[in-house]
Amino acid sequence: MLDGTSPWRLHLLKNAALILTSIFFLPFSTFVLVSSYVLSFFVANDASRKRRHIRSSPTFEPQAILVTGVGMTKGLVLARLFYEAGHDVIGADFEPNGVPACGRYSKSLHRFYRLPKPTADDGSVPYINALLRLVKREEVDLWVSCSGVASAVEDGQAKEVVERRSSCRAIQFDVATTSMLHEKDTFIQETQRLGLHVPETHHVTSRDAVHKVLHQTKRRSYIMKSVGVDDAVRGNMTLLPRRTVSQTYDHVSQLPISSQNPWVLQQFIKGKEYCTHSLIIEGNVKMFVACPSAELLMHYEALPPDSALSRAMLAFTTEFVERSGKDMNGHLSFDFLVDENVTEKGAELVLNPIECNPRAHTAVALFSGQASDVAKAYLSLLKSGTVNGNGHASDTADKQVVFPKEPGKYYWIGHDLITLILLPLLHLLMGRTRLVEWMQGCADFTNHVVFWKDGTFEIWDPLPWWCLYHICWPRHFLASILQRRRWSRINAEAAGSQQQSRQHAPYPPTTASLGGVPTVSTDVPISAVFLFLFICGAVAHMTIFQMNRRRGHKFIMSGMMFGFCMARITTCVMRIVWATRPTHIPIAIAAQIFVAAGVVLLFVINLIFAERIIRAAHPHAGWHSLFTHFFTAIYVVIVISLVMIITANVQSFYTLNSNTKRIDRAIILYGGTFYAIISFLPFPLVLGGLIIPRKTRVEKFGTGRFRSKIAILLTATFLLCLGAAFRIGTNYKTPRPVNDPPEYYDKACFYIFNLTVEIIVVILYVAVRVDMRFHVPDGSSGPGHYAGKQALETKRNAVIENTIGRVMTEEEVFDDAAEHEVNLEREKTEATERVRSDLQALHHAQSESPKLFKVPNLGLSVTSLTRQEITLIQIKMRLPENLLPKTKIVLHGVQGFVIFLAWAITIAIFTKPGSTDGRIKYFFALCWVCIPLLIYQAAVPQFDRTKRFSNVYAHAAIDALLAIFWFAAFVSVATWTNHGIKNGVDKDKNKGCDAFLWGDGDSRGSKCRLSQATIGMGVVILSVLLPSILAQTRTTT
């Protein structure tokens, strides 16, 4: 037999010979086809006549049943059984390389759909979306998935999406169950966890691991199996260890074993192999059949249902399902090796489960002729939720398992013709076999043709059989020639579906996450903007750090802020790379780790600031050893938790074991909860320090007012806590499939609650110069050290920063200052106010006659204010105060007009047919919320009676908040619009807005364009807010 290492010319000759064989037998097959159509009119057991009889009953309710995988025998058999039972059957399958599925020509199908094939670039999203549209268009009641060898995981994802977004029920396990059962190693681990017997199995990722196992257990024999789907090595059942050590090493060295392509080393059991097929509905076995198996199973013969082996395999299946503790719905097939142990009581048969296939098995063909029983078993899923008058499930009485009543023996004539007649004949001519052996093969072939039944052929539906051998298979052989593809066997299931799936670690995620998989059109531009912002933040903080270092001003937190910005720069770069390579799992792992880990530095910085505020307000308590050890312990736990979260995140991509995934999720939830608490911790620490009575005065440190330090810290704490709380809150929600993410996992939420709040904190810490405000003297280690050298300088800076709106000094509010010190500070404040009044007169005179302007003698005393302090006051007065109301009335007037237009357009969107979601509603609500805020911003500075309510910091804060809210608004509408365009209906016919998902009928295009207009309005509104904020920073009140 040729394999992947055989010369290409031999493979070319093999493919050409098979194509010629198909052509040679074409006349005979065509004669059988025509004869079958003629005879079907006279055969009494015609399925069409049975179908008409059933549908004529007035009580019969036909169901719309979708069967995927009709290009394979199992899908075709089920479609025929449902058709014979009177139901409407819709078929679907992949047709790669233009090769039609043979099942599309079946008489049993009401309609056939071609589904897009999952690819490495696009993943399974196009396939799932097409399947969902099919279900909704045909109003499917039940979807029966007949997955191929390598497509079960994709169908598991599709099941969760279809059942969530439609009323259709699916005969298919969920993603977690499918992934666990699909892989050989995780299935064995799960079976062991359930307390069921399994053969000795080792998961190996290197050749050294194989030799280590073989060396430790010399008395046993093993076979190697690839964890993934690899038909090139699927039939290699070489026993290990071999006769000599060199032969063993030589064989193992030829196997492609690696951490990305793991294998299992399984104990070899000398016994017969059997396989089973069962239907599981709500955790109950509804159908079951067992039959002898083989390495290449092309002949099917059912075991008697009452045989000991059949009953034992049924008991194992029932026990496995019950112990799993899940309401499982799907097909379940086990492969067993039966070992015979001799005991004192006699021979004992031991079942050794070696593999599990969470999909339909071709052995379902053994149920042919039982259309009514099979349809009833499948449709029981639709009745499983109903209850009768006694409060019990209406389906409880029907728990009887369906077995094949009079099963036939099944074969495939094309396979037997090659393996029993033509190939042995070639060997006979070459002298490799004897004439007796060839004649025995001819006798077996004749017996199969006369007494057995072809798995694809039905006399009332012969066209799929004819197409399989004269259209489908020849096209596959021709594709192998054109693509120069070598093969030792073509998997019959793969030929029908040609699905591909990643079957080695790291595995793609099966559940949705915040932000989802990035895309080039949406995430690359946004990530590029944040990349630029964090680069600016990194430059600013590093510049400040170096300037302070040169003058001996030690402030490590600036270096930590630089480190955080660099981590976020890496995050943005990794997200851009991930968008260009969405199927590259290691890049996805790295991107998610940087997202989760970077913000920890900001949490630590805020804790350090909170610690300094506590030590300034309560020196003796703040410097106590218990308080110091408390913060040290928090920092240690932060580091340990970070390591745990990173490990759990990485491990979740490298395992399919459900228990391991459960533990990883628990660790991730713990870490998220812990960091949410850490982000909130400065609130109780600082506020508690202010509430608790002080025994000493506040020890001033750094520059600026003490209350300003508190306000800055609490503002940053609020923003970071908001992001952490949102992340952990959404994580606690029930996980959703990766292809059906909830609204709170939208990309807008990702960028707002991660990067946006963080860049605001980065800019805030640069703008307010935390390196000056939160600086403490080097070597501070006890009470009184903060106020040592900087006490006088702190008082001078407090005088400079006083404004006209100040009523009491900081010492009057926060300190126990002596009365003479309070009076001294009050006199300095009054002097500063006089300077401010004189400078206002100076600006007024300049505005009245700028050409004749001369500096008046202000009469300042050098003892009250220094030249540097007067310069600082003059620098702050960049924009005359009387221009602020005029500037704001113009800016906010423009903003209000644009908001009115956006509000009107949003109403127009709501009136269009179709659906909307929370993103467009948030935009509409924000238009209303802005009304009172704009009134305050524009009207309050205009009138003398209301000016006392005007404060430059309040105006700036409102503008900043509005900027954040409008940024979130236009990003939300942009993601809503982009999702509607990308996932629009009838993509093959319409493009862009004409296929808008959220519209209906002819309104799709107009609704899409209106939503695009609102995006532009949001950008304009945001652009107007920026000069308003700039005006605030250049005005003195």
Side-chain angles (χ1 to χ4, degrees):
M1 179 180 294
L2 302 181
D3 55 24
T5 62
S6 301
W8 163 244
R9 63 179 182 276
L10 296 180
H11 283 275
L12 175 62
L13 181 62
K14 174 182 64 176
N15 288 312
L18 290 172
I19 294 174
L20 292 175
T21 301
S22 174
I23 296 174
F24 179 81
F25 285 98
L26 178 60
F28 172 77
S29 301
T30 305
F31 172 76
V32 174
L33 175 69
V34 176
S35 301
S36 298
Y37 278 120
V38 174
L39 292 175
S40 63
F41 290 100
F42 306 100
V43 175
N45 192 26
D46 185 10
S48 299
R49 296 178 184 177
K50 288 185 177 181
R51 173 183 173 84
R52 287 194 295 268
H53 175 73
I54 294 174
R55 292 178 71 96
S56 64
S57 174
T59 60
F60 178 75
E61 296 181 1
Q63 303 292 330
I65 302 176
L66 170 64
V67 180
T68 54
V70 292
M72 297 175 281
T73 299
K74 54 191 178 184
L76 180 59
V77 168
L78 287 174
R80 287 169 170 170
L81 289 172
F82 293 135
Y83 171 82
E84 188 177 347
H87 300 285
D88 297 327
V89 183
I90 298 97
D93 208 339
F94 305 109
E95 293 183 329
N97 301 320
V99 180
C102 66
R104 69 154 38 234
Y105 304 104
S106 175
K107 183 180 179 180
S108 62
L109 298 186
H110 176 68
R111 192 174 288 109
F112 176 84
Y113 289 87
R114 176 188 296 177
L115 296 174
K117 171 188 172 184
T119 62
D121 295 331
D122 299 332
S124 59
V125 174
Y127 160 61
I128 295 176
N129 289 337
L131 188 65
L132 181 61
R133 289 196 297 270
L134 189 163
V135 168
K136 292 182 177 180
R137 183 180 298 122
E138 295 291 343
E139 297 182 353
V140 175
D141 299 304
L142 181 68
W143 169 35
V144 180
S145 168
C146 294
S147 306
V149 173
S151 66
V153 175
E154 284 82 355
D155 280 347
Q157 296 173 349
K159 170 249 183 20
E160 299 187 9
V161 175
V162 167
E163 289 194 336
R164 186 180 298 276
R165 297 190 180 182
S166 70
S167 59
C168 176
R169 300 299 303 275
I171 304 294
Q172 170 66 45
F173 297 125
D174 57 28
V175 178
T177 304
T178 303
S179 301
M180 179 270 296
L181 297 176
H182 183 67
E183 303 296 345
K184 301 176 182 66
D185 54 343
T186 55
F187 161 67
I188 293 296
Q189 295 171 8
E190 178 68 10
T191 308
Q192 286 179 320
R193 188 186 70 84
L194 297 177
L196 299 174
H197 172 74
V198 295
E200 180 185 345
T201 305
H202 302 273
H203 182 271
V204 292
T205 57
S206 66
R207 297 180 179 89
D208 291 338
V210 176
H211 296 303
K212 183 177 180 180
V213 174
L214 297 177
H215 178 73
Q216 292 176 347
T217 55
K218 297 182 178 181
R219 295 184 179 181
R220 292 182 178 177
S221 297
Y222 299 87
I223 56 175
M224 295 283 294
K225 296 181 181 180
S226 175
V227 171
V229 178
D230 190 351
D231 287 330
V233 296
R234 194 177 181 186
N236 192 333
M237 295 296 174
T238 304
L239 290 181
L240 297 176
R242 303 193 69 181
R243 292 175 57 187
T244 63
V245 175
S246 60
Q247 289 178 340
T248 302
Y249 273 82
D250 182 65
H251 176 77
V252 174
S253 65
Q254 299 177 14
L255 301 178
I257 308 174
S258 65
S259 58
Q260 289 76 29
N261 185 28
W263 286 53
V264 292
L265 188 64
Q266 197 169 71
Q267 175 189 354
F268 174 72
I269 298 172
K270 296 179 180 180
K272 294 183 179 181
E273 186 175 353
Y274 295 86
C275 64
T276 65
H277 167 81
S278 56
L279 172 66
I280 311 299
I281 301 294
E282 298 293 342
N284 296 313
V285 180
K286 291 292 186 177
M287 293 170 53
F288 181 84
V289 64
C291 58
S293 184
E295 183 268 322
L296 181 61
L297 186 57
M298 295 299 295
H299 301 127
Y300 287 86
E301 182 179 1
L303 290 176
D306 56 351
S307 65
L309 275 177
S310 180
R311 293 198 306 269
M313 296 177 194
L314 174 60
F316 178 91
T317 303
T318 304
E319 191 75 11
F320 185 93
V321 173
E322 290 179 351
R323 293 189 185 184
S324 295
K326 304 174 183 177
D327 292 335
M328 305 171 71
N329 296 310
H331 298 111
L332 190 62
S333 303
F334 292 108
D335 289 345
F336 294 97
L337 281 173
V338 179
D339 190 14
E340 184 175 346
N341 294 335
V342 179
T343 63
E344 296 179 356
K345 298 181 180 180
E348 181 184 23
L349 298 179
V350 179
L351 292 180
N352 294 279
I354 56 175
E355 289 185 23
C356 177
N357 299 311
R359 56 185 181 272
H361 198 285
T362 310
V364 73
L366 296 169
F367 288 92
S368 294
Q370 298 176 245
S372 178
D373 293 339
V374 171
K376 183 179 179 180
Y378 277 90
L379 293 175
S380 63
L381 177 61
L382 302 181
K383 304 176 182 178
S384 59
T386 60
V387 294
N388 56 26
N390 297 326
H392 300 291
S394 61
D395 194 44
T396 54
D398 186 19
K399 289 185 175 294
Q400 186 176 3
V401 180
V402 177
F403 296 97
K405 293 181 179 179
E406 297 179 358
K409 300 178 180 180
Y410 286 83
Y411 79 110
W412 281 260
I413 190 170
H415 173 268
D416 281 13
L417 178 65
I418 299 297
T419 59
L420 297 179
I421 302 294
L422 299 182
L423 193 59
L425 178 61
L426 178 62
H427 290 169
L428 178 64
L429 296 177
M430 298 174 62
R432 295 182 180 179
T433 186
R434 296 180 300 172
L435 178 62
V436 175
E437 295 176 352
W438 179 76
M439 293 181 65
Q440 180 61 47
C442 293
D444 292 339
F445 177 78
T446 304
N447 178 60
H448 293 171
V449 172
V450 176
F451 299 104
W452 289 35
K453 188 177 185 303
D454 187 275
T456 310
F457 181 80
E458 283 287 353
I459 194 170
W460 59 272
D461 188 26
L463 189 55
W465 170 84
W466 186 90
C467 293
L468 176 65
Y469 294 115
H470 299 292
I471 296 180
C472 301
W473 284 117
R475 292 284 295 272
H476 282 295
F477 300 141
L478 181 61
S480 298
I481 294 175
L482 297 177
Q483 299 173 9
R484 299 180 65 88
R485 187 172 62 237
R486 294 176 171 88
W487 56 271
S488 59
R489 67 178 67 183
I490 293 183
N491 192 307
E493 293 183 348
S497 62
Q498 290 292 316
Q499 296 183 2
Q500 295 179 350
S501 175
R502 185 185 184 94
Q503 298 298 330
H504 55 78
Y507 304 100
T510 58
T511 56
S513 59
L514 182 60
V517 178
T519 58
V520 175
S521 60
T522 302
D523 293 81
V524 170
I526 297 177
S527 298
V529 172
F530 280 108
L531 177 63
F532 172 76
L533 293 177
F534 280 111
I535 290 176
C536 295
V539 172
H541 281 285
M542 179 50 67
T543 301
I544 292 174
F545 178 77
Q546 294 296 338
M547 291 173 58
N548 288 331
R549 186 178 63 84
R550 292 190 188 100
R551 63 188 184 92
H553 185 87
K554 182 180 178 182
F555 194 75
I556 302 299
M557 276 63 73
S558 293
M560 296 174 64
M561 290 297 300
F562 170 78
F564 167 74
C565 291
M566 293 303 298
R568 279 297 175 257
I569 290 171
T570 306
T571 300
C572 295
V573 171
M574 294 302 299
R575 196 157 180 86
I576 293 173
V577 175
W578 187 12
T580 59
R581 304 183 66 183
T583 59
H584 198 284
I585 307 303
I587 293 177
I589 297 174
Q592 293 192 13
I593 288 176
F594 277 103
V595 169
V599 73
V600 175
L601 286 173
L602 292 183
F603 296 159
V604 173
I605 292 173
N606 280 0
L607 284 178
I608 294 175
F609 290 166
E611 184 181 19
R612 292 184 175 183
I613 289 176
I614 294 298
R615 285 175 172 173
H618 300 274
H620 294 285
W623 287 106
H624 195 277
S625 60
L626 291 179
F627 193 75
T628 303
H629 293 331
F630 169 73
F631 273 92
T632 303
I634 288 180
Y635 298 143
V636 172
V637 176
I638 287 175
V639 175
I640 295 175
S641 299
L642 181 61
V643 174
M644 292 172 61
I645 291 175
I646 293 176
T647 304
N649 267 302
V650 174
Q651 181 175 256
S652 65
F653 285 91
Y654 282 85
T655 183
L656 295 175
N657 185 277
S658 58
N659 188 52
T660 304
K661 283 184 172 292
R662 179 186 60 80
I663 296 173
D664 292 339
R665 172 171 165 78
I667 294 175
I668 294 172
L669 290 178
Y670 150 74
T673 305
F674 174 73
Y675 284 137
I677 296 173
I678 292 300
S679 68
F680 179 77
L681 195 56
F683 271 116
L685 288 176
V686 173
L687 296 180
L690 296 177
I691 295 173
I692 298 175
R694 295 187 300 273
K695 298 181 179 179
T696 60
R697 292 184 56 203
V698 172
E699 293 187 5
K700 296 299 185 62
F701 62 92
T703 61
R705 294 179 295 176
F706 191 64
R707 65 174 65 180
S708 299
K709 296 181 177 64
I710 295 175
I712 293 168
L713 175 59
L714 295 186
T715 300
T717 299
F718 169 76
L719 292 173
L720 296 179
C721 184
L722 178 65
F726 179 84
R727 290 190 294 271
I728 188 58
T730 54
N731 279 346
Y732 270 106
K733 301 285 287 185
T734 303
R736 295 270 288 272
V738 68
N739 296 289
D740 185 28
E743 292 182 354
Y744 48 79
Y745 276 172
D746 193 81
K747 296 182 186 299
C749 297
F750 172 82
Y751 288 108
I752 291 173
F753 292 102
N754 281 304
L755 304 185
T756 300
V757 297
E758 293 166 1
I759 194 62
I760 291 175
V761 174
V762 171
I763 296 174
L764 173 67
Y765 281 177
V766 172
V768 301
R769 293 297 302 270
V770 292
D771 61 300
M772 303 299 293
R773 292 180 181 272
F774 287 90
H775 178 263
V776 297
D778 294 343
S780 298
S781 59
H785 289 191
Y786 281 1
K789 300 178 181 180
Q790 296 184 341
L792 180 60
E793 182 181 352
T794 302
K795 291 183 179 180
R796 284 168 54 103
N797 290 328
V799 174
I800 300 300
E801 294 182 4
N802 269 291
T803 63
I804 193 169
R806 179 165 174 167
V807 178
M808 293 186 297
T809 64
E810 185 175 344
E811 285 77 11
E812 292 177 88
V813 178
F814 290 94
D815 290 351
D816 301 324
E819 183 176 357
H820 70 279
E821 293 178 339
V822 173
N823 294 333
L824 179 62
E825 294 297 332
R826 187 175 292 136
E827 292 174 359
K828 291 183 177 180
T829 300
E830 293 173 355
T832 304
E833 293 175 359
R834 289 196 302 272
V835 172
R836 182 179 179 279
S837 177
D838 292 337
L839 288 177
Q840 286 179 349
L842 179 69
H843 280 285
H844 180 71
Q846 181 182 13
S847 61
E848 293 293 333
S849 55
K851 294 183 179 179
L852 302 177
F853 171 70
K854 294 182 179 180
V855 179
N857 184 11
L858 300 179
L860 298 180
S861 174
V862 178
T863 58
S864 61
L865 289 173
T866 65
R867 183 182 302 273
Q868 180 181 8
E869 292 166 345
I870 296 176
T871 303
L872 289 174
I873 296 176
Q874 291 174 339
I875 290 175
K876 290 183 179 181
M877 297 183 64
R878 300 287 182 86
L879 186 68
E881 185 181 19
N882 60 348
L883 292 182
L884 176 62
K886 299 178 181 179
T887 303
K888 293 189 70 63
I889 195 68
V890 172
L891 293 176
H892 292 303
V894 173
Q895 185 182 9
F897 176 75
V898 179
I899 289 176
F900 172 78
L901 294 179
W903 172 76
I905 294 175
T906 310
I907 293 178
I909 293 176
F910 286 138
T911 60
K912 295 289 183 180
S915 62
T916 58
D917 63 10
R919 288 170 284 188
I920 196 70
K921 295 175 183 176
Y922 166 74
F923 190 99
F924 181 74
L926 187 58
C927 294
W928 286 98
V929 172
C930 286
I931 295 176
L933 297 179
L934 290 180
I935 293 175
Y936 173 81
Q937 293 286 80
V940 169
Q942 300 298 319
F943 308 100
D944 293 334
R945 290 187 177 183
T946 59
K947 280 185 178 179
R948 58 177 178 171
F949 300 106
S950 178
N951 185 284
V952 65
Y953 298 105
H955 288 297
I958 293 175
D959 282 338
L961 288 176
L962 287 176
I964 297 173
F965 292 154
W966 278 109
F967 174 80
F970 93 80
V971 170
S972 299
V973 178
T975 58
W976 180 75
T977 307
N978 184 59
H979 182 268
I981 295 175
K982 289 185 62 178
N983 300 278
V985 297
D986 298 328
K987 283 186 177 180
D988 298 335
K989 299 181 181 179
N990 301 316
K991 302 293 183 181
C993 282
D994 292 333
F996 195 58
L997 178 64
W998 310 116
D1000 188 16
D1002 296 334
S1003 69
R1004 297 186 191 278
S1006 60
K1007 190 170 186 177
C1008 174
R1009 283 182 279 275
L1010 286 173
S1011 64
Q1012 290 175 335
T1014 59
I1015 298 173
M1017 295 293 179
V1019 175
V1020 173
I1021 295 169
L1022 182 62
S1023 302
V1024 174
L1025 284 169
L1026 298 179
S1028 178
I1029 297 175
L1030 182 62
Q1032 304 291 347
T1033 61
R1034 299 175 63 86
T1035 304
T1036 301
T1037 59

